[in-house]
Amino acid sequence: MNDMAVALQPAAYKSDYKPIWCPGCGDYSVLSAFTKAFSMVGRKPEEIVVVSGIGCSSRLPAYLSSYGFHGVHGRALAAATGLKLARPDLTVVASGGDGDGYSIGGNHFLHACRRNVDLTYVVMDNHVYGMTKGQPSPTTEPDWQSKLSPTGTGLRVFHPLVVALAAGANFVARAFSGDPNGVADILAEAIRHPGFSFVEILSPCVTFRPEQRNWKQAVHPAPVGATDDPAKAARRILSDDGFNVGILYRGNRPVYRPPVGKAKKQPADLEKEFEV
Amino acid sequence: MNATKQAARKRVATKRPVPVRGAKPAAAAVRSMNDLMAYAYALEVEAAERYGEFADVMEEHNNRAVGELFRKLARIEHKHAEQILEEMGWTAPPPPPDGGYRWQGMEGPETADFTELHYLMQPYHALEIALHNEKRAFEFFSGLARRATTEKVKRAAKEMAAEEAEHVRLIEDWMKKVPLPEPQWDVDLDPPRYVD
Amino acid sequence: MTTTTSTPRTSVCIALCGSGGAGVMTAGNLLLEAAAQAGWYGLMVRSSGPQIRGGEAAALMRIATHPIDCMDDRFDAIVAVDWQNIHRFADEVPLDRSSLIVGDPEQGAPPEVFVKSGARAVELPMKKIAKGIPGSWPNMIALGFASQLLGIPADKVKAVVARSLKKGAEQLPASVAAIEAGRAAAAGEGAAFTLAAPPAARAKRWLITGNQAAGFGAIRGGVRFVAAYPITPATELLEYMAPALPQVGGVLVQAEDELASVNMIVGASYGGVPALTATAGPGLALMTEALGLAVAAEVPIVVVDVMRGGPSTGIPAKSEQSDVSIALWGLHGDAPRLVIAPNSIADCLTATQWAVHLAEALQAPAIVLSDQFFGQARAVTDRPADSGLVGERLTAPAGSEGYKRYAVTDSGVSPMAIPGTPGLAYTADGLEHSERGIPSSGAADHRVQLAKRERKLVAHDYGAQWADVEGEGGIAVVTFGSCTGAAREAIARARADGVNARLVSMRLLAPARPKLLAAALDGVDRVLVVEQNHGGQFLRYLRAEFELPRTVRSFRHPGPLPIRPEEVHRQILALEEESPR
């Protein structure tokens, strides 16, 4: 095997820094899937940047051998957008959890979908804030009780996939962490698909939501393939059981690229408009 | 499912995965000896890598005993992989088929599931996981043998199945030498920590 | 003629007022451009009511024979196309017995608040005259009147009007006739307000707003990525950048909020592209968390804060220097950052360029404290020389063995790996980290990294740009930003009175340079601290960070009224009366 092939094996995308996630956490599998997906896409580690916010899953970038950016809570998509627009040559993936992405970062989620910059957003959804010890997130069931919500939130569950569709995401998929190969396939497709690709990964929290171990029995492949009709995709997703995994929507909206002048001028060329 | 596996369910992870990918059994892709042995090799390597990751996880969480056990399992699986290379006279790993390896389940039949782990798990639990995997590997090769279209592949698959059956016995022997889990092995006197 | 003299004037202030739609801003801009064409310097500040369209508006102008950075204490004339709610500008347009009130009798009598100053009222029937010249507008009559009053040659005025009408050339004859009518009406006022001849030998001069200057300075410094969220009075900076940046290969993106804009520039800069955003106080408040990230992750960014009246929504379209404290102390944790305050409209360019250079060199966030006065004022100024300072980041070469992103170095600056560079991949982190960038809660890592981030800023040689230090004497006026123009004029007036005072206008507010200030204040025993805010934020900062002489006087008031030269002049004279202790 030559050097290039070695460099592009999944193992080459792992850093030597070990995760702090609880043993049993779904995020380990997602990490493994990231390495496989990068290997499938075939970009070198230094050509990839994984950007995250704050939370258990947001620790992911450091565990990869690609470049990483571990920023502030809820702003991964903003940082990733800036990076991708400034450096369109890089493959940029934003990742994080449901609290980071749908609560504190909710506004950026909407506008990242709208803007349709060519990046991939991966949310490891476990319906709970893990790093702050088990508070309800936007995807937590209304009757789930915790210290902060002793009687449950009573709030309607946020539906990221449908929201993403409505806001304009160009690729929408659901995956399950228990299937790292399947996640890797979807991630690789998401990265390759132009525009804003959104992948929601059901990733159990064994510490605060041990019952999520049962997701293994609940998940099943999406009965039909991806559509390019957002309305059809939204109807399907709204009426499914929340556990069908696969690529659900593949759009063809034009990718956002801000104007960059063709003729490159020097700063001194801009002085003219000020001259008396 | 036998009694040991049911005990494991209760103690650590609980349930076993069901197929998600909808892929047909790998038999369809296995037409030659080379195909079979490539699959066998990939299965062993994937299993070894996962045990290695498990060892890392356990060490990171200060569960040294289980970490060491997983490390040992990783070495064993690596050795199996190397044996395949040697038997086939391959100097380098075989290239994966187009589109990668396709397993019947979510991952390779000998690859352990991350959600099986618990930070306080004991060596016995680790061996339960290994036993489960070896049994799955046995079933995988037995299935291939049943569905093989050539006599040569059928024979080889049967041999591989027999080897996996031997591994099952070895793990079962190993389990006899390891103490059963303490009744309250998963009790933590402290609550989880705040991190970020 | 009453008390005015006929000696040609070195500076004249005039306000053009009227309701929205009357075109006083256009007239003001044309007057400024004509004066510039004729060789004078000048300044125009826009003031208006809160209405987006309609409402009252005023172009506050000062034309002078020399570069100026502030309005004068009083106005020589107010020319109102109409008087609707113009009394609201009374504080901003102080008149006296020597001033003129020029109004259209058809629009009623001038407001009492102006009349009581004793200024002489002049009737100029702009509407009536304009009616007599089909296709003309009253604001052109006002422009003609004002230009004649100041002695700005008619051909220059006509030339700038012709240029402004590029696509409506058929309107030109009517406009020219209106200007001539206005000039004829002012002819009777004599030479009381006539400007002295402009300097004969002239360097290249620019017409530019502070917001444009800051934007262009950023481009000169190397900024090629801007994330923009609109906010008064910073929006024009971003609007300048939107078409300018692509011409030099840069990119501007509108963000969904300030949290996004600041995180976008952090992301872009992490990718190796010098990046900037501009905002005002409320936006800066939202950005403080990410500024802390830029400190911890050592990502250079520049945030221009065009200060306005605060707190909260405050007085959005008026100037105030009240973000000093948030800029200097507003971040959580021990978070060393650069704070740079331009002290003239031209310096908005030079200081922002410097800020980009420093941020890049020191891998730290820089806050540029501009303000509404600078940002939205348009000035005729000498072309700011290009300092040549460009952002240059210390980067790590590919394949550096055992690369450590946050390596502890003598300077505190560590080579930064730019994504795409093989062999150096690391994760930039807002979590405290080891030299390698691995999250760490260890005491030693925290201490070492805090000290490194402080050292790189404190140990840097900032050169003479840290402040403008001018003059001699035992009294020093210590100030910053847009108060500098008034302080400089006040010191000149004191000198004419025989009182010497120094000016120390600090450009580099953070990191504080106590030794440099001590040297600048050598021999000074009395200090006057001048700032435009209510609480004395700059004074508190000076008290906290520097050794000051025993006698320290604070002169301050909040916006929207500017600090005027005469106010500072009186303070200097009062301080001179006090015997040093």
Side-chain angles (χ1 to χ4, degrees):
Chain A
M1 211 178 284
N2 62 31
D3 284 354
M4 177 56 78
V6 172
L8 296 180
Q9 290 298 303
Y13 295 89
K14 264 200 166 177
S15 76
D16 52 6
Y17 177 45
K18 301 291 172 262
I20 57 161
W21 297 318
C22 302
C25 176
D27 295 352
Y28 283 103
S29 303
V30 179
L31 173 64
S32 175
F34 263 81
T35 65
K36 290 175 179 143
F38 289 159
S39 175
M40 288 158 77
V41 171
R43 293 217 76 184
K44 295 176 200 156
E46 67 265 23
E47 297 166 339
I48 301 167
V49 185
V50 182
V51 180
S52 69
I54 295 298
C56 295
S57 50
S58 288
R59 291 284 188 124
L60 185 127
Y63 308 143
L64 293 163
S65 68
S66 60
Y67 279 85
F69 188 88
H70 184 208
V72 292
H73 197 21
R75 317 296 166 213
L77 281 173
T81 299
L83 175 62
K84 180 67 186 182
L85 294 178
R87 289 290 307 276
D89 57 310
L90 298 170
T91 292
V92 179
V93 180
S95 73
D98 39 311
D100 190 70
Y102 308 147
S103 192
I104 187 168
N107 194 33
H108 309 303
F109 178 51
L110 294 181
H111 292 280
C113 292
R114 277 183 64 218
R115 200 177 277 119
N116 201 29
V117 170
D118 186 19
L119 49 90
T120 301
Y121 183 40
V122 180
V123 173
M124 285 153 259
D125 191 348
N126 56 13
H127 307 355
V128 74
Y129 285 87
M131 275 206 163
T132 48
K133 292 215 307 183
Q135 295 77 29
S137 86
T139 48
T140 302
E141 303 78 351
D143 57 350
W144 188 75
Q145 295 173 356
S146 70
K147 275 190 190 171
L148 198 59
S149 57
T151 57
T153 63
L155 298 180
R156 183 188 165 86
V157 170
F158 183 79
H159 206 317
L161 296 165
V162 178
V163 171
L165 275 171
N170 210 29
F171 178 102
V172 172
R174 185 193 279 128
F176 171 54
S177 65
D179 177 18
N181 293 328
V183 176
D185 284 346
I186 290 175
L187 280 183
E189 284 241 37
I191 293 168
R192 288 187 188 122
H193 193 77
F196 186 78
S197 300
F198 171 54
V199 183
E200 147 104 353
I201 303 179
L202 299 167
S203 179
C205 173
V206 293
T207 295
F208 296 106
R209 306 296 308 266
E211 70 279 14
Q212 290 174 346
R213 288 185 194 270
N214 295 333
W215 280 356
K216 244 183 261 180
Q217 277 68 45
V219 290
H220 53 86
V224 288
T227 166
D228 62 356
D229 177 353
K232 200 184 273 180
R235 268 196 306 277
R236 284 179 186 165
I237 298 168
L238 273 172
S239 57
D240 74 15
D241 63 356
F243 287 101
N244 62 340
V245 300
I247 298 165
L248 307 170
Y249 171 73
R250 222 189 299 247
N252 41 32
R253 288 179 59 213
V255 174
Y256 173 80
R257 279 189 198 90
V260 179
K262 280 175 198 140
K264 263 202 184 183
K265 289 186 184 172
Q266 293 304 309
D269 302 331
L270 301 182
E271 289 187 15
K272 210 168 162 48
E273 71 171 292
F274 304 127
E275 283 167 9
V276 168
Chain B
M1 265 182 223
N2 62 28
T4 320
K5 202 156 100 194
Q6 297 212 337
R9 271 176 160 205
K10 242 160 69 192
R11 288 198 182 92
V12 188
T14 64
K15 311 251 166 97
R16 299 295 171 205
V18 294
V20 157
R21 294 156 59 78
K24 284 279 152 225
V30 179
R31 293 196 185 86
S32 66
M33 265 304 278
N34 262 14
D35 285 350
L36 175 74
M37 295 316 277
Y39 263 84
Y41 176 77
L43 176 154
E44 300 292 354
V45 168
E46 210 181 289
E49 282 171 0
R50 183 57 50 84
Y51 284 134
E53 288 169 329
F54 278 16
D56 290 344
V57 173
M58 286 301 138
E59 281 162 16
E60 184 64 25
H61 289 79
N62 300 338
N63 189 337
R64 196 155 297 167
V66 175
E68 280 167 13
L69 200 151
F70 279 129
R71 197 70 72 197
K72 209 174 274 176
L73 288 168
R75 275 198 297 273
I76 292 169
E77 301 301 341
H78 262 305
K79 209 192 251 167
H80 294 163
E82 279 165 20
Q83 280 165 359
I84 291 169
L85 289 185
E86 213 173 294
E87 282 166 27
M88 295 302 290
W90 290 335
T91 53
D98 287 345
Y101 293 99
R102 297 276 139 183
W103 308 112
Q104 186 171 10
M106 293 180 173
E107 296 188 86
E110 212 179 57
T111 305
D113 181 349
F114 266 109
T115 55
E116 300 286 326
L117 297 184
H118 189 289
Y119 63 108
L120 295 175
M121 70 194 299
Q122 301 192 341
Y124 190 85
H125 296 123
L127 290 172
E128 283 180 319
I129 291 172
L131 182 65
H132 172 67
N133 293 335
E134 299 299 342
K135 284 179 176 168
R136 283 195 300 148
F138 167 75
E139 283 160 18
F140 173 76
F141 287 115
S142 305
L144 279 185
R146 275 197 303 279
R147 289 186 299 273
T149 47
T150 70
E151 213 30 60
K152 206 174 168 196
V153 170
K154 188 183 273 287
R155 204 166 42 239
K158 268 187 181 163
E159 270 171 36
M160 293 303 294
E163 251 177 65
E164 297 299 342
E166 175 60 20
H167 297 162
V168 170
R169 273 189 297 281
L170 285 172
I171 299 285
E172 280 169 346
D173 287 347
W174 195 347
M175 288 176 84
K176 283 176 198 146
K177 293 177 207 151
V178 168
L180 283 171
E182 294 148 30
Q184 292 191 304
W185 64 271
D186 62 347
V187 171
D188 188 334
L189 299 176
D190 291 326
R193 283 187 280 270
Y194 298 90
V195 182
D196 284 354
Chain C
M1 302 293 106
T2 49
T3 54
T4 49
T5 71
S6 292
T7 328
R9 306 271 302 271
T10 56
S11 137
V12 175
C13 279
I14 185 166
L16 305 181
C17 309
S19 293
V24 294
M25 293 303 181
T26 301
N29 272 319
L30 292 169
L31 187 67
L32 186 69
E33 284 165 28
Q37 290 298 333
W40 283 286
Y41 292 87
L43 193 63
M44 174 177 139
V45 178
R46 291 180 296 169
S47 190
S48 56
Q51 309 87 339
I52 289 171
R53 298 308 300 251
E56 59 282 5
L60 311 179
M61 328 264 315
R62 187 181 184 193
I63 312 292
T65 54
H66 53 281
I68 38 156
D69 294 316
C70 65
M71 282 292 152
D72 207 342
D73 307 297
R74 52 175 289 281
F75 277 72
D76 294 288
I78 179 169
V79 180
V81 177
D82 67 75
W83 290 114
Q84 287 193 70
N85 286 323
I86 301 302
H87 66 275
R88 290 178 180 164
F89 295 125
D91 287 337
E92 290 170 71
V93 187
L95 304 176
D96 61 23
R97 292 173 57 80
S98 311
S99 311
L100 279 188
I101 302 173
V102 183
D104 189 337
E106 211 178 298
Q107 302 286 351
E112 177 55 25
V113 65
F114 293 117
V115 175
K116 72 179 185 195
S117 66
R120 189 163 55 85
V122 175
E123 291 191 346
L124 177 63
M126 288 170 263
K127 210 167 169 182
K128 197 173 151 197
I129 299 173
K131 251 184 208 158
I133 307 168
S136 80
W137 298 91
N139 68 330
M140 289 295 113
I141 315 284
L143 171 61
F145 187 95
S147 63
Q148 171 68 29
L149 201 65
L150 272 56
I152 298 169
D155 61 322
K156 299 292 184 199
V157 182
K158 289 174 195 167
V160 297
V161 170
R163 201 171 60 181
S164 77
L165 289 177
K166 261 181 249 162
K167 281 177 192 159
E170 68 279 4
Q171 291 173 27
L172 184 59
S175 295
V176 167
I179 287 162
E180 273 164 1
R183 290 182 73 93
E189 295 303 325
F193 302 99
T194 303
L195 282 159
R202 293 194 294 265
K204 223 181 215 179
R205 287 169 316 135
W206 284 7
L207 249 173
I208 194 167
T209 69
N211 276 338
Q212 290 172 326
F216 184 51
I219 288 176
R220 266 192 186 170
V223 165
R224 292 297 179 270
F225 183 87
V226 170
Y229 189 74
I231 185 168
T232 304
T235 308
E236 292 99 330
L237 196 165
L238 302 164
E239 287 176 340
Y240 165 72
M241 298 293 260
L245 212 48
Q247 296 183 52
V248 292
V251 165
L252 178 139
V253 59
Q254 183 174 334
E256 54 271 26
D257 55 29
E258 285 96 345
L259 304 167
S261 57
V262 70
N263 282 283
M264 281 180 181
I265 65 168
V266 171
S269 177
Y270 163 81
V273 178
L276 169 145
T277 189
T279 189
L284 181 65
L286 287 175
M287 291 178 187
T288 53
E289 188 194 19
L291 279 159
L293 168 65
V295 170
E298 303 200 42
V299 178
I301 55 168
V302 178
V303 176
V304 180
D305 173 19
V306 187
M307 293 186 284
R308 67 188 215 186
S312 189
T313 312
I315 312 182
K318 309 266 180 170
S319 209
E320 189 170 81
Q321 295 179 311
S322 50
D323 294 345
V324 176
S325 294
I326 188 177
L328 288 168
W329 320 111
L331 308 189
H332 63 283
D334 287 314
R337 94 273 344 231
L338 296 152
V339 178
I340 288 144
N343 60 19
S344 70
I345 288 173
D347 195 38
C348 285
L349 191 163
T350 316
T352 307
Q353 185 176 358
W354 189 41
V356 176
H357 167 77
L358 290 177
E360 291 288 318
L362 301 174
Q363 298 178 17
I367 298 169
V368 177
L369 279 183
S370 176
D371 63 22
Q372 184 272 339
F373 170 77
F374 282 156
Q376 296 194 320
R378 193 163 176 234
V380 187
T381 178
D382 289 323
R383 173 187 179 269
D386 189 347
S387 63
L389 290 174
V390 182
E392 275 171 19
R393 205 180 290 186
L394 181 65
T395 54
S400 315
E401 224 20 64
Y403 174 66
K404 290 177 179 170
R405 167 63 187 103
Y406 301 108
V408 173
T409 59
D410 286 346
S411 70
V413 179
S414 328
M416 184 169 179
I418 305 300
T421 316
L424 307 185
Y426 75 101
T427 293
D429 211 316
L431 278 170
E432 190 55 284
H433 39 254
S434 66
E435 288 184 84
R436 269 191 62 203
I438 303 300
S440 166
S441 52
D445 282 331
H446 191 40
R447 254 202 306 266
V448 161
Q449 293 293 324
L450 283 171
K452 160 200 195 304
R453 296 192 290 256
E454 183 187 47
R455 182 166 70 247
K456 67 180 180 181
L457 263 60
V458 172
H460 186 73
D461 180 1
Y462 293 88
Q465 299 103 299
W466 81 277
D468 287 347
V469 183
E470 300 162 9
E472 287 300 320
I475 296 174
V477 179
V478 180
T479 190
F480 77 102
S482 64
C483 288
T484 304
R488 192 178 277 126
E489 279 200 45
I491 287 167
R493 291 181 196 183
R495 197 180 307 121
D497 299 332
V499 176
N500 280 334
R502 279 179 218 192
L503 172 71
V504 180
S505 172
M506 287 172 52
R507 190 174 284 109
L508 182 72
L509 301 190
R513 309 270 84 191
K515 280 185 187 155
L516 294 177
L517 184 64
L521 295 181
D522 186 35
V524 166
D525 49 39
R526 285 154 291 171
V527 162
L528 177 66
V529 177
V530 177
E531 62 191 302
Q532 189 197 18
N533 60 53
H534 176 77
Q537 299 182 17
F538 185 59
L539 173 74
R540 287 161 197 261
Y541 153 74
L542 291 175
R543 289 250 189 245
E545 299 273 6
F546 302 88
E547 293 282 344
L548 297 175
R550 251 177 151 186
T551 303
V552 176
R553 294 280 173 272
S554 168
F555 178 70
R556 61 181 189 259
H557 61 66
L561 290 186
I563 300 278
R564 297 198 190 271
E566 192 51 31
E567 295 176 309
V568 182
H569 178 213
R570 279 199 300 270
Q571 294 289 326
I572 295 171
L573 296 187
L575 205 50
E576 172 69 6
E577 293 299 307
E578 287 186 36
S579 57
R581 281 182 279 176

